[in-house]
Amino acid sequence: MPTYEYECQSCHQRVEAVQKFSDAPLSVCENCGGELRKVFSGVGIVFKGSGFYKTDSRGSASAATAPATTPSTPSTTPSTPAPAPTGASSTSGD
Ligand SMILES: [Zn+2]
């Protein structure tokens, strides 16, 4: 039985599935519900990523990628611990 590898177009999670030829291909990501695309190992297929911060990373995706259930609105965060905008950053006393 052939092993197919899919990659989510939303969260770039890789999914391996052992399927028969008669089985319907996977199309929905179990992680985020995004679109799964079949990955052919050995062939250099480069998907056209639309400004994604990572292209190929498996394992640490769950840490950085937050589910769409928590929309981060900038209004709820009035004070952000941002560093000084000026170039003088090393102002730590001696
Ligand atoms: Zn996904």
Side-chain angles (χ1 to χ4, degrees):
M1 222 176 287
T3 305
Y4 298 102
E5 186 172 13
Y6 298 85
E7 185 184 47
C8 178
Q9 299 301 291
S10 298
C11 69
H12 288 248
Q13 177 176 278
R14 293 281 181 103
V15 180
E16 288 185 14
V18 180
Q19 297 182 299
K20 290 177 291 188
F21 285 107
S22 55
D23 285 342
L26 299 177
S27 56
V28 179
C29 173
E30 296 181 0
N31 189 38
C32 71
E35 179 191 357
L36 286 180
R37 284 218 180 165
K38 197 173 290 185
V39 176
F40 298 95
S41 55
V43 185
I45 298 181
V46 180
F47 293 108
K48 292 177 288 185
S50 52
F52 230 82
Y53 56 91
K54 63 178 185 293
T55 49
D56 186 36
S57 61
R58 47 196 295 181
S60 59
S62 54
T65 314
T69 48
T70 51
S72 56
T73 43
S75 305
T76 47
T77 52
S79 57
T80 39
T86 46
S89 55
S90 50
T91 48
S92 54
D94 190 67

Coordinates of all heavy atoms in Angstrom, one line a residue:
M1 N 0.9 -1.2 0.0 CA 0.0 0.0 0.0 C 0.9 1.3 0.0 O 1.8 1.3 0.8 CB -0.9 0.0 1.2 CG -2.3 0.4 1.0 SD -3.3 0.3 2.4 CE -3.5 -1.5 2.6
P2 N 0.6 2.1 -0.9 CA 1.5 3.3 -1.0 C 1.2 4.3 0.2 O 0.2 4.4 0.7 CB 1.1 4.0 -2.3 CG -0.3 3.5 -2.5 CD -0.4 2.1 -1.9
T3 N 2.3 5.0 0.5 CA 2.2 6.0 1.5 C 2.2 7.4 0.9 O 3.1 7.8 0.2 CB 3.3 5.9 2.5 OG1 3.4 4.6 3.1 CG2 3.2 6.9 3.7
Y4 N 1.2 8.2 1.2 CA 1.1 9.5 0.6 C 1.4 10.5 1.7 O 1.2 10.3 2.9 CB -0.3 9.8 0.1 CG -0.8 8.9 -1.0 CD1 -1.6 7.8 -0.8 CD2 -0.3 9.1 -2.3 CE1 -2.0 7.0 -1.8 CE2 -0.7 8.3 -3.3 CZ -1.5 7.2 -3.1 OH -1.9 6.4 -4.1
E5 N 2.1 11.6 1.3 CA 2.4 12.6 2.2 C 1.7 13.9 1.8 O 1.7 14.3 0.6 CB 3.9 12.9 2.3 CG 4.3 13.9 3.3 CD 5.8 13.9 3.5 OE1 6.5 13.4 2.7 OE2 6.2 14.5 4.5
Y6 N 1.0 14.5 2.7 CA 0.3 15.7 2.4 C 0.9 16.9 3.2 O 1.5 16.7 4.3 CB -1.2 15.6 2.8 CG -1.9 14.6 2.0 CD1 -1.9 13.2 2.4 CD2 -2.6 14.9 0.8 CE1 -2.6 12.3 1.7 CE2 -3.3 13.9 0.1 CZ -3.2 12.6 0.5 OH -3.9 11.7 -0.2
E7 N 0.7 18.1 2.7 CA 1.1 19.2 3.5 C 0.0 20.3 3.5 O -0.6 20.6 2.4 CB 2.4 19.9 2.9 CG 2.9 21.1 3.7 CD 4.1 21.7 3.1 OE1 4.0 22.0 1.9 OE2 5.1 22.0 3.7
C8 N -0.3 20.8 4.6 CA -1.4 21.7 4.8 C -0.9 23.1 4.2 O 0.2 23.5 4.4 CB -1.8 21.9 6.2 SG -3.1 23.1 6.4
Q9 N -1.8 23.7 3.4 CA -1.4 25.0 2.8 C -1.6 26.1 3.8 O -1.2 27.2 3.6 CB -2.3 25.2 1.6 CG -2.1 24.2 0.5 CD -0.7 24.1 0.0 OE1 -0.2 25.0 -0.7 NE2 0.0 23.0 0.3
S10 N -2.2 25.8 4.9 CA -2.5 26.9 5.9 C -1.4 26.9 7.0 O -0.8 27.9 7.3 CB -3.9 26.7 6.5 OG -4.9 26.9 5.5
C11 N -1.3 25.7 7.6 CA -0.3 25.6 8.8 C 0.9 24.8 8.4 O 1.8 24.7 9.2 CB -1.0 25.0 10.0 SG -1.4 23.2 9.8
H12 N 1.0 24.4 7.2 CA 2.2 23.7 6.6 C 2.5 22.4 7.5 O 3.7 22.1 7.6 CB 3.4 24.6 6.6 CG 3.3 25.6 5.5 ND1 4.1 25.6 4.4 CD2 2.4 26.7 5.3 CE1 3.8 26.6 3.6 NE2 2.8 27.3 4.2
Q13 N 1.5 21.8 8.0 CA 1.7 20.6 8.8 C 1.8 19.4 7.8 O 0.9 19.3 6.9 CB 0.6 20.4 9.8 CG 0.8 19.1 10.5 CD -0.3 18.9 11.6 OE1 -0.1 19.4 12.7 NE2 -1.3 18.2 11.3
R14 N 2.8 18.6 8.0 CA 2.9 17.4 7.1 C 2.1 16.2 7.7 O 2.2 16.0 8.9 CB 4.4 17.0 7.0 CG 5.2 18.0 6.2 CD 5.0 17.9 4.8 NE 5.9 18.9 4.0 CZ 7.0 18.6 3.4 NH1 7.4 17.4 3.4 NH2 7.7 19.5 2.8
V15 N 1.4 15.6 6.8 CA 0.6 14.4 7.2 C 0.9 13.3 6.3 O 0.9 13.4 5.1 CB -0.9 14.8 7.1 CG1 -1.8 13.6 7.6 CG2 -1.3 16.0 8.0
E16 N 1.2 12.1 6.9 CA 1.5 10.9 6.2 C 0.3 10.0 6.3 O -0.2 9.8 7.4 CB 2.7 10.2 6.6 CG 4.0 11.0 6.3 CD 5.2 10.2 6.7 OE1 5.1 9.0 7.0 OE2 6.3 10.8 6.7
A17 N -0.2 9.5 5.2 CA -1.4 8.6 5.2 C -1.1 7.4 4.3 O -0.6 7.6 3.2 CB -2.6 9.4 4.7
V18 N -1.4 6.3 4.8 CA -1.3 5.1 4.1 C -2.7 4.8 3.5 O -3.6 4.5 4.2 CB -0.8 3.9 4.9 CG1 -0.7 2.6 4.1 CG2 0.5 4.2 5.6
Q19 N -2.8 4.9 2.2 CA -4.0 4.7 1.5 C -3.9 3.7 0.3 O -2.9 3.5 -0.2 CB -4.5 6.1 1.0 CG -4.8 7.1 2.1 CD -5.3 8.4 1.5 OE1 -4.7 9.0 0.7 NE2 -6.5 8.7 1.9
K20 N -5.1 3.2 0.0 CA -5.2 2.4 -1.2 C -5.4 3.4 -2.4 O -5.8 4.5 -2.2 CB -6.3 1.4 -1.1 CG -6.0 0.3 -0.1 CD -7.2 -0.6 0.0 CE -8.4 0.0 0.7 NZ -9.4 -0.9 1.0
F21 N -5.2 2.8 -3.6 CA -5.4 3.6 -4.7 C -6.9 4.0 -4.9 O -7.3 5.0 -5.5 CB -5.0 2.9 -6.0 CG -3.5 2.9 -6.1 CD1 -2.8 1.7 -5.9 CD2 -2.8 4.0 -6.5 CE1 -1.4 1.7 -6.0 CE2 -1.4 4.0 -6.6 CZ -0.7 2.8 -6.4
S22 N -7.7 3.2 -4.3 CA -9.2 3.4 -4.4 C -9.7 4.4 -3.4 O -10.8 4.9 -3.5 CB -9.9 2.1 -4.3 OG -9.6 1.5 -3.1
D23 N -8.8 4.7 -2.4 CA -9.2 5.6 -1.3 C -9.2 7.0 -1.9 O -8.3 7.4 -2.7 CB -8.3 5.5 -0.1 CG -8.6 4.3 0.7 OD1 -9.7 3.7 0.5 OD2 -7.8 3.9 1.5
A24 N -10.1 7.8 -1.3 CA -10.1 9.2 -1.7 C -9.0 9.9 -1.0 O -8.7 9.7 0.1 CB -11.4 9.8 -1.4
P25 N -8.3 10.8 -1.7 CA -7.2 11.5 -1.1 C -7.7 12.5 0.0 O -8.8 13.0 -0.1 CB -6.6 12.3 -2.3 CG -7.7 12.5 -3.3 CD -8.6 11.2 -3.1
L26 N -6.8 12.7 0.9 CA -7.1 13.7 2.0 C -7.1 15.1 1.4 O -6.3 15.4 0.6 CB -6.1 13.6 3.1 CG -6.0 12.2 3.8 CD1 -4.8 12.2 4.9 CD2 -7.3 11.8 4.4
S27 N -8.0 15.9 2.0 CA -8.1 17.2 1.4 C -8.3 18.3 2.5 O -8.1 19.4 2.3 CB -9.3 17.3 0.5 OG -10.5 16.9 1.1
V28 N -8.6 17.8 3.8 CA -8.8 18.7 4.9 C -7.8 18.4 6.0 O -7.6 17.3 6.4 CB -10.2 18.6 5.4 CG1 -10.4 19.6 6.6 CG2 -11.2 18.9 4.3
C29 N -7.1 19.5 6.4 CA -6.1 19.3 7.5 C -6.8 19.1 8.8 O -7.8 19.8 9.2 CB -5.3 20.6 7.6 SG -4.2 20.6 9.0
E30 N -6.3 18.1 9.6 CA -7.0 17.8 10.9 C -6.6 18.8 11.9 O -7.2 19.0 12.9 CB -6.5 16.4 11.4 CG -6.9 15.3 10.5 CD -6.5 13.9 11.0 OE1 -5.8 13.9 12.1 OE2 -6.8 12.9 10.4
N31 N -5.5 19.5 11.6 CA -5.0 20.5 12.6 C -5.8 21.8 12.6 O -6.2 22.3 13.6 CB -3.5 20.7 12.4 CG -2.9 21.5 13.5 OD1 -3.2 21.4 14.7 ND2 -2.0 22.4 13.2
C32 N -5.9 22.3 11.4 CA -6.6 23.7 11.3 C -7.7 23.7 10.3 O -8.4 24.7 10.2 CB -5.5 24.7 10.9 SG -5.0 24.5 9.2
G33 N -7.9 22.6 9.6 CA -9.0 22.5 8.7 C -8.7 23.2 7.3 O -9.6 23.5 6.5
G34 N -7.4 23.4 7.1 CA -6.9 24.0 5.9 C -6.9 23.0 4.7 O -7.3 21.8 4.9
E35 N -6.4 23.5 3.6 CA -6.3 22.6 2.4 C -5.1 21.8 2.4 O -4.0 22.3 2.5 CB -6.4 23.5 1.2 CG -6.3 22.7 -0.1 CD -6.1 23.5 -1.3 OE1 -6.0 24.8 -1.2 OE2 -5.9 23.0 -2.4
L36 N -5.2 20.5 2.3 CA -4.1 19.6 2.2 C -3.7 19.4 0.7 O -4.6 19.2 -0.2 CB -4.4 18.2 2.8 CG -4.5 18.2 4.3 CD1 -4.8 16.8 4.8 CD2 -3.2 18.6 4.9
R37 N -2.4 19.4 0.5 CA -1.9 19.1 -0.8 C -0.9 17.9 -0.8 O -0.1 17.8 0.1 CB -1.2 20.3 -1.4 CG -2.2 21.4 -1.9 CD -1.7 22.1 -3.1 NE -2.5 23.1 -3.6 CZ -2.2 24.0 -4.5 NH1 -1.0 24.0 -5.0 NH2 -3.0 24.9 -4.9
K38 N -1.0 17.1 -1.8 CA -0.2 15.9 -1.8 C 1.3 16.3 -2.1 O 1.5 17.2 -2.9 CB -0.7 15.0 -2.9 CG -0.1 13.6 -2.7 CD -0.8 12.6 -3.7 CE -2.2 12.4 -3.4 NZ -2.8 11.4 -4.3
V39 N 2.2 15.7 -1.3 CA 3.6 16.0 -1.4 C 4.3 14.8 -2.0 O 4.2 13.7 -1.5 CB 4.2 16.4 -0.1 CG1 5.7 16.6 -0.2 CG2 3.6 17.6 0.5
F40 N 5.0 15.0 -3.1 CA 5.7 14.0 -3.7 C 7.2 14.1 -3.3 O 7.9 14.9 -3.7 CB 5.6 14.1 -5.3 CG 4.2 13.9 -5.8 CD1 3.4 15.1 -6.0 CD2 3.7 12.7 -6.0 CE1 2.1 14.9 -6.5 CE2 2.4 12.5 -6.4 CZ 1.6 13.7 -6.7
S41 N 7.5 13.1 -2.4 CA 8.9 13.1 -1.9 C 9.9 12.8 -3.0 O 9.7 11.9 -3.8 CB 9.0 12.2 -0.7 OG 8.6 10.9 -1.1
G42 N 11.0 13.5 -3.0 CA 12.0 13.2 -4.0 C 12.0 14.2 -5.2 O 12.9 14.4 -5.8
V43 N 10.8 14.8 -5.3 CA 10.7 15.8 -6.4 C 10.6 17.2 -5.8 O 9.9 17.4 -4.8 CB 9.4 15.6 -7.2 CG1 9.3 16.6 -8.4 CG2 9.3 14.1 -7.7
G44 N 11.5 18.1 -6.3 CA 11.5 19.4 -5.7 C 10.4 20.3 -6.1 O 10.4 21.0 -7.0
I45 N 9.3 20.1 -5.4 CA 8.1 20.9 -5.6 C 8.1 22.1 -4.7 O 8.1 21.9 -3.5 CB 6.8 20.1 -5.5 CG1 6.8 19.0 -6.5 CG2 5.6 21.0 -5.7 CD1 5.6 18.1 -6.5
V46 N 8.1 23.2 -5.2 CA 8.0 24.4 -4.4 C 6.6 25.1 -4.5 O 6.3 25.6 -5.6 CB 9.1 25.4 -4.8 CG1 9.0 26.7 -3.9 CG2 10.5 24.8 -4.7
F47 N 5.9 25.1 -3.4 CA 4.6 25.7 -3.4 C 4.8 27.2 -3.3 O 5.7 27.7 -2.7 CB 3.8 25.2 -2.3 CG 3.4 23.8 -2.4 CD1 4.0 22.8 -1.6 CD2 2.5 23.4 -3.4 CE1 3.6 21.5 -1.8 CE2 2.2 22.0 -3.6 CZ 2.7 21.1 -2.7
K48 N 3.9 27.9 -4.0 CA 4.0 29.4 -4.0 C 3.4 29.9 -2.7 O 2.2 30.0 -2.5 CB 3.2 29.9 -5.2 CG 3.8 29.6 -6.5 CD 3.0 30.1 -7.6 CE 1.7 29.3 -7.8 NZ 1.0 29.7 -9.0
G49 N 4.3 30.2 -1.7 CA 3.8 30.7 -0.4 C 3.6 32.2 -0.5 O 4.4 32.9 -1.0
S50 N 2.5 32.6 0.0 CA 2.1 34.0 0.0 C 2.6 34.7 1.3 O 1.9 34.9 2.2 CB 0.6 34.2 -0.2 OG 0.0 33.4 0.8
G51 N 3.9 35.0 1.3 CA 4.5 35.7 2.4 C 4.4 35.0 3.7 O 4.1 35.5 4.8
F52 N 4.7 33.7 3.7 CA 4.7 32.9 4.9 C 6.1 33.0 5.6 O 7.1 33.1 4.9 CB 4.4 31.5 4.7 CG 3.3 30.9 5.6 CD1 2.0 31.2 5.3 CD2 3.6 30.2 6.7 CE1 1.0 30.7 6.1 CE2 2.6 29.7 7.5 CZ 1.3 29.9 7.2
Y53 N 6.1 33.0 6.9 CA 7.3 33.3 7.6 C 8.2 32.0 7.7 O 9.4 32.0 7.9 CB 7.1 33.8 9.0 CG 6.2 32.9 9.9 CD1 6.8 31.9 10.7 CD2 4.8 33.1 9.9 CE1 6.0 31.1 11.5 CE2 4.0 32.3 10.7 CZ 4.6 31.3 11.5 OH 3.8 30.5 12.3
K54 N 7.6 30.9 7.4 CA 8.4 29.6 7.4 C 7.9 28.8 6.2 O 6.8 28.8 5.8 CB 8.2 28.9 8.7 CG 6.8 28.4 9.0 CD 6.8 27.5 10.3 CE 5.5 26.9 10.5 NZ 4.5 28.0 10.8
T55 N 8.9 28.1 5.6 CA 8.5 27.3 4.4 C 8.5 25.9 4.7 O 7.6 25.1 4.3 CB 9.6 27.6 3.3 OG1 10.9 27.5 3.9 CG2 9.4 29.0 2.7
D56 N 9.5 25.4 5.4 CA 9.6 24.0 5.7 C 10.0 23.7 7.1 O 11.2 23.7 7.4 CB 10.5 23.3 4.7 CG 10.5 21.8 4.8 OD1 9.4 21.2 5.1 OD2 11.6 21.2 4.7
S57 N 9.1 23.5 8.0 CA 9.5 23.2 9.4 C 8.4 22.4 10.0 O 7.2 22.7 10.0 CB 9.6 24.5 10.2 OG 8.4 25.2 10.2
R58 N 8.8 21.3 10.5 CA 7.8 20.4 11.1 C 8.2 20.1 12.5 O 9.3 19.9 12.9 CB 7.8 19.0 10.3 CG 9.1 18.5 10.0 CD 9.1 17.4 8.9 NE 8.3 16.3 9.4 CZ 8.1 15.2 8.7 NH1 8.6 15.1 7.5 NH2 7.3 14.2 9.1
G59 N 7.2 20.2 13.4 CA 7.4 20.0 14.8 C 7.2 21.2 15.6 O 6.4 21.2 16.6
S60 N 7.7 22.3 15.2 CA 7.5 23.5 16.0 C 6.4 24.4 15.4 O 6.4 25.6 15.6 CB 8.9 24.3 16.0 OG 9.2 24.6 14.6
A61 N 5.6 23.8 14.6 CA 4.5 24.5 14.0 C 3.4 24.8 15.0 O 2.8 25.9 14.9 CB 4.0 23.8 12.8
S62 N 3.2 23.9 15.9 CA 2.1 24.1 16.8 C 2.4 25.2 17.8 O 1.5 25.8 18.4 CB 1.8 22.8 17.6 OG 3.0 22.3 18.2
A63 N 3.7 25.5 18.0 CA 4.0 26.5 19.0 C 3.8 27.9 18.5 O 3.4 28.8 19.2 CB 5.5 26.3 19.4
A64 N 4.1 28.1 17.2 CA 4.1 29.4 16.6 C 2.7 29.7 16.0 O 2.2 30.8 16.0 CB 5.2 29.6 15.6
T65 N 2.1 28.7 15.5 CA 0.9 28.8 14.8 C -0.3 28.7 15.7 O -0.5 27.7 16.3 CB 0.7 27.8 13.6 OG1 1.9 27.7 12.9 CG2 -0.5 28.2 12.7
A66 N -1.0 29.8 15.9 CA -2.2 29.8 16.8 C -3.4 29.5 16.0 O -3.5 29.9 14.9 CB -2.3 31.1 17.5
P67 N -4.3 28.8 16.7 CA -5.6 28.5 16.0 C -6.4 29.8 15.7 O -6.2 30.8 16.3 CB -6.4 27.6 16.9 CG -5.7 27.9 18.3 CD -4.3 28.2 18.0
A68 N -7.3 29.7 14.7 CA -8.0 30.8 14.3 C -9.2 31.2 15.3 O -10.0 32.0 15.0 CB -8.6 30.6 12.9
T69 N -9.2 30.5 16.4 CA -10.3 30.7 17.3 C -10.0 31.9 18.2 O -10.9 32.4 18.9 CB -10.5 29.4 18.2 OG1 -9.2 29.0 18.6 CG2 -11.2 28.3 17.4
T70 N -8.7 32.3 18.2 CA -8.4 33.4 19.1 C -7.8 34.6 18.2 O -6.6 34.7 18.0 CB -7.3 33.0 20.1 OG1 -6.3 32.4 19.4 CG2 -7.9 32.1 21.2
P71 N -8.7 35.4 17.8 CA -8.3 36.6 17.0 C -7.6 37.6 17.8 O -8.1 38.2 18.8 CB -9.6 37.1 16.4 CG -10.6 36.7 17.4 CD -10.2 35.4 18.0
S72 N -6.3 37.9 17.5 CA -5.6 38.8 18.3 C -5.8 40.3 17.9 O -5.4 40.7 16.8 CB -4.1 38.5 18.2 OG -3.7 38.5 16.9
T73 N -6.7 40.9 18.6 CA -7.0 42.3 18.3 C -6.0 43.3 19.0 O -5.8 43.1 20.2 CB -8.4 42.7 18.7 OG1 -8.7 42.1 19.9 CG2 -9.4 42.1 17.7
P74 N -5.5 44.2 18.3 CA -4.5 45.1 18.9 C -5.2 46.0 20.0 O -4.5 46.7 20.7 CB -4.0 46.0 17.7 CG -5.1 45.8 16.7 CD -5.7 44.5 16.9
S75 N -6.5 46.1 20.0 CA -7.2 47.0 20.9 C -7.1 46.4 22.3 O -7.2 47.2 23.3 CB -8.7 47.1 20.5 OG -8.7 47.6 19.2
T76 N -7.0 45.1 22.5 CA -7.0 44.5 23.8 C -5.7 44.6 24.4 O -5.5 44.3 25.6 CB -7.4 43.0 23.7 OG1 -6.7 42.4 22.6 CG2 -8.9 42.9 23.4
T77 N -4.7 45.0 23.7 CA -3.3 45.1 24.2 C -2.9 46.6 24.2 O -2.3 47.0 23.2 CB -2.3 44.2 23.5 OG1 -2.5 44.5 22.1 CG2 -2.6 42.8 23.7
P78 N -3.2 47.3 25.3 CA -2.9 48.8 25.3 C -1.4 49.0 25.5 O -0.8 49.9 24.9 CB -3.7 49.3 26.5 CG -3.9 48.1 27.4 CD -3.9 46.9 26.4
S79 N -0.8 48.2 26.3 CA 0.6 48.4 26.6 C 1.5 47.2 26.1 O 1.3 46.1 26.6 CB 0.9 48.6 28.1 OG 0.4 47.5 28.8
T80 N 2.3 47.5 25.1 CA 3.1 46.4 24.6 C 4.6 46.7 25.0 O 5.1 47.8 24.9 CB 3.1 46.3 23.1 OG1 3.0 47.7 22.5 CG2 1.9 45.5 22.6
P81 N 5.2 45.7 25.5 CA 6.6 45.8 26.0 C 7.6 46.0 24.8 O 8.4 45.1 24.5 CB 6.9 44.5 26.8 CG 5.9 43.5 26.2 CD 4.7 44.3 25.7
A82 N 7.5 47.1 24.1 CA 8.4 47.3 23.0 C 9.6 48.0 23.4 O 9.6 48.9 24.3 CB 7.6 48.1 21.9
P83 N 10.7 47.7 22.8 CA 12.0 48.3 23.1 C 12.1 49.8 22.7 O 11.2 50.2 21.9 CB 13.1 47.5 22.3 CG 12.3 46.9 21.2 CD 10.9 46.7 21.8
A84 N 13.0 50.5 23.1 CA 13.1 51.9 22.7 C 13.4 52.0 21.2 O 14.2 51.3 20.7 CB 14.3 52.5 23.5
P85 N 12.6 52.9 20.6 CA 12.7 53.1 19.2 C 14.1 53.8 18.8 O 14.5 53.7 17.7 CB 11.6 54.1 18.8 CG 11.3 54.8 20.1 CD 11.6 53.8 21.2
T86 N 14.7 54.4 19.7 CA 16.0 55.1 19.4 C 17.1 54.0 19.4 O 17.0 52.9 19.9 CB 16.3 56.1 20.5 OG1 16.1 55.5 21.8 CG2 15.5 57.3 20.3
G87 N 18.2 54.4 18.7 CA 19.3 53.5 18.5 C 20.0 53.1 19.8 O 20.6 52.0 19.9
A88 N 19.9 53.9 20.8 CA 20.6 53.6 22.1 C 19.8 52.5 22.8 O 18.9 52.8 23.6 CB 20.7 54.9 22.9
S89 N 20.2 51.3 22.6 CA 19.5 50.2 23.2 C 20.3 49.7 24.5 O 19.8 49.3 25.4 CB 19.4 49.1 22.2 OG 20.6 48.7 21.7
S90 N 21.6 49.7 24.4 CA 22.4 49.2 25.5 C 22.6 50.3 26.5 O 23.7 51.0 26.6 CB 23.8 48.7 25.0 OG 24.4 49.7 24.2
T91 N 21.6 50.5 27.3 CA 21.7 51.6 28.4 C 21.8 51.0 29.8 O 21.4 51.6 30.7 CB 20.4 52.5 28.3 OG1 19.3 51.7 28.2 CG2 20.5 53.4 27.1
S92 N 22.1 49.7 29.8 CA 22.2 49.1 31.1 C 23.5 49.6 31.8 O 24.6 49.6 31.3 CB 22.3 47.6 30.9 OG 23.3 47.2 30.0
G93 N 23.3 50.0 33.1 CA 24.4 50.5 33.9 C 25.5 49.5 34.1 O 25.3 48.3 34.0
D94 N 26.6 50.0 34.5 CA 27.7 49.1 34.8 C 28.0 48.8 36.2 O 27.9 49.8 37.0 CB 29.0 49.7 34.1 CG 30.1 48.6 34.1 OD1 30.0 47.6 33.4 OD2 31.1 48.8 34.9
Ligands
ZN1 ZN -3.4 22.8 8.7

